[in-house]
Amino acid sequence: MIGLPEERAVTLGEYIRDTGSTVRAAAKEFGLSKSTVHKDVSYRLRLINPSLYTEVKAVLDKNREERHIRGGNATRLKFLNDKNDDGQTPNLP
């Protein structure tokens, strides 16, 4: 993504606000590092567009609260897909 950091911050902020995306997903979508996206939406955006920053911060806070749930579900699916030595899947709820 080419452009001024200020323009990039606004574009990233609008994307995260509109899609509910995580920083990691936004970084992948725009071909940037997670650090760049985080700095843009956490620091630059606060100075450039405070109202958009507030909306983005709400999305990021929600994502942070749900992070442990997503990780737990990923682990659960991993074990459901793994096979036991006898070829049977484990009995998990």
Side-chain angles (χ1 to χ4, degrees), residues 50-92:
S51 62
L52 179 58
Y53 166 77
T54 303
E55 295 173 14
V56 171
K57 185 174 182 328
V59 172
L60 295 180
D61 288 345
K62 177 180 165 275
N63 288 340
R64 188 176 306 118
E65 290 172 6
E66 295 173 350
R67 181 173 52 198
H68 69 286
I69 296 169
R70 284 192 300 273
N73 284 337
T75 301
R76 180 177 178 274
L77 290 174
K78 175 185 177 217
F79 282 104
L80 282 174
N81 291 327
D82 285 348
K83 299 281 184 187
N84 287 337
D85 290 335
D86 59 2
Q88 300 294 318
T89 57
N91 293 327
L92 295 176

Side-chain angles (χ1 to χ4, degrees), residues 40-51 53-54:
D40 283 350
V41 298
S42 296
Y43 300 105
R44 289 189 177 113
L45 194 57
R46 184 179 353 179
L47 301 173
I48 299 165
N49 189 336
S51 62
Y53 166 77
T54 303

Side-chain angles (χ1 to χ4, degrees), residues 8-17 26 30 32 37 40-41:
R8 185 180 64 215
V10 172
T11 302
L12 287 166
E14 290 170 347
Y15 176 78
I16 290 172
R17 177 196 62 197
F30 288 92
L32 300 168
V37 173
D40 283 350
V41 298

